[in-house]
């Protein structure tokens, strides 16, 4: 009985030691080391890919935002969850694409309505948008519903409206879009894209400069 108690005590002690050692290694040392490496090599990404304007964080380059005024570039439509949902708000707790089929009447109607609105909103004196100019990403949400980027085609479509709303030359706004267009990753992965928040932040700075 004494030996049995001693063995039990030895096993419990060994288990406790293992728990303490592994807790320190995996719960303290490893996270601190990983955080240190990330902060040293990739500080921007490690801190959430923050976008700053005048010293203040205005968002992340990884998460799309809604609610921009008509003088700014507009993002992709927000996604939605639920069989009958076409969510119009960017909220992380409901991120995800709609599960409506491509031929669902409600989805078709929503896409057509979105296209008509884009044509109307972006047509200004001297420049009329044609329905055929509206790219797919302008009227459809991404898989997450939180895509921070739009296609260069959608950005170009909005240039004349943004220029007119802000009293800027079209060429100047067009140059701004070109400067904020990112090509394919490594030259072959993905598609060219424009980060809406970064573009609008630069636009706001440009307008403020007069």
């Amino acid at each position: 009985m004494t030996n049995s108690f001693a063995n039990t005590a030895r096993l419990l002690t060994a288990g406790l030691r293992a728990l303490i050692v592994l807790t320190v290694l995996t719960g303290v040392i490893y996270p601190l080391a990983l955080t240190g490496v990330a902060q040293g090599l990739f500080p921007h990404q490690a801190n959430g890919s923050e976008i700053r304007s005048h010293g203040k964080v205005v968002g992340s380059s990884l998460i799309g935002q809604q609610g921009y005024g008509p003088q700014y570039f507009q993002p992709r439509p927000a996604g939605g969850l639920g069989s009958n949902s076409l969510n119009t708000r960017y909220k992380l707790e409901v991120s995800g694409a709609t599960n409506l089929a491509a031929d669902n009447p409600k989805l078709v109607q929503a896409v057509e309505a979105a296209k008509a609105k884009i044509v109307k909103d972006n047509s200004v004196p001297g420049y009329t948008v044609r329905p055929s100019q509206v790219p797919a990403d302008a009227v459809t949400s991404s898989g997450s519903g939180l895509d921070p980027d739009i296609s260069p085609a959608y950005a170009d479509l909005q240039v004349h409206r943004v220029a007119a709303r802000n009293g800027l030359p079209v060429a100047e706004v067009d140059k701004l879009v070109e400067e904020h267009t990112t090509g394919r990753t490594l030259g072959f992965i993905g598609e060219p894209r424009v980060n809406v928040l970064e573009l609008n932040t630069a636009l706001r700075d440009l307008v403020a400069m007069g």
Side-chain angles (χ1 to χ4, degrees):
M1 185 172 180
T2 302
N3 290 337
S4 177
F5 178 79
N7 288 335
T8 301
R10 181 176 57 79
L11 291 174
L12 288 176
T13 301
L16 181 60
R17 288 176 179 173
L19 175 63
I20 293 174
V21 170
L22 290 175
T23 298
V24 172
L25 286 176
T26 62
V28 179
I29 296 177
Y30 177 74
L32 287 177
L34 203 60
T35 299
V37 171
Q39 290 292 339
L41 298 178
F42 315 103
H44 178 64
Q45 293 87 340
N47 291 316
S49 300
E50 296 173 340
I51 296 178
R52 293 178 175 269
S53 178
H54 304 290
K56 295 183 178 180
V57 176
V58 296
S60 169
S61 63
L62 304 176
I63 302 294
Q65 297 184 16
Q66 288 279 9
Y68 295 109
Q71 73 273 31
Y72 291 106
F73 288 89
Q74 301 301 310
R76 296 185 67 170
L81 295 177
S83 59
N84 297 315
S85 175
L86 282 176
N87 183 46
T88 58
R89 301 168 297 164
Y90 271 26
K91 286 193 174 182
L92 296 181
E93 65 265 26
V94 293
S95 65
T98 176
N99 58 5
L100 298 176
D103 59 352
N104 184 284
K106 186 173 182 179
L107 180 60
V108 173
Q109 182 180 4
V111 168
E112 291 299 325
K115 181 181 290 189
K117 187 176 187 305
I118 287 172
V119 169
K120 178 182 177 181
D121 291 348
N122 290 282
S123 294
V124 297
Y127 179 78
T128 300
V129 176
R130 300 186 304 275
S132 59
Q133 290 178 265
V134 180
D137 66 300
V139 294
T140 57
S141 64
S142 63
S144 68
L146 299 169
D147 193 347
D149 304 320
I150 57 176
S151 65
Y154 187 25
D156 290 340
L157 182 148
Q158 303 182 62
V159 165
H160 286 77
R161 169 182 55 79
V162 171
R165 290 276 187 171
N166 291 285
L168 296 170
V170 171
E172 197 167 359
V173 179
D174 194 42
K175 181 181 178 182
L176 198 66
V177 171
E178 184 178 347
E179 291 173 347
H180 287 82
T181 298
T182 303
R184 292 179 174 87
T185 303
L186 300 179
F188 67 94
I189 300 175
E191 295 294 331
R193 59 199 181 278
V194 180
N195 187 284
V196 180
L197 180 56
E198 291 178 350
L199 178 60
N200 281 336
T201 300
L203 172 64
R204 183 165 54 191
D205 292 342
L206 180 63
V207 173
M209 291 172 58

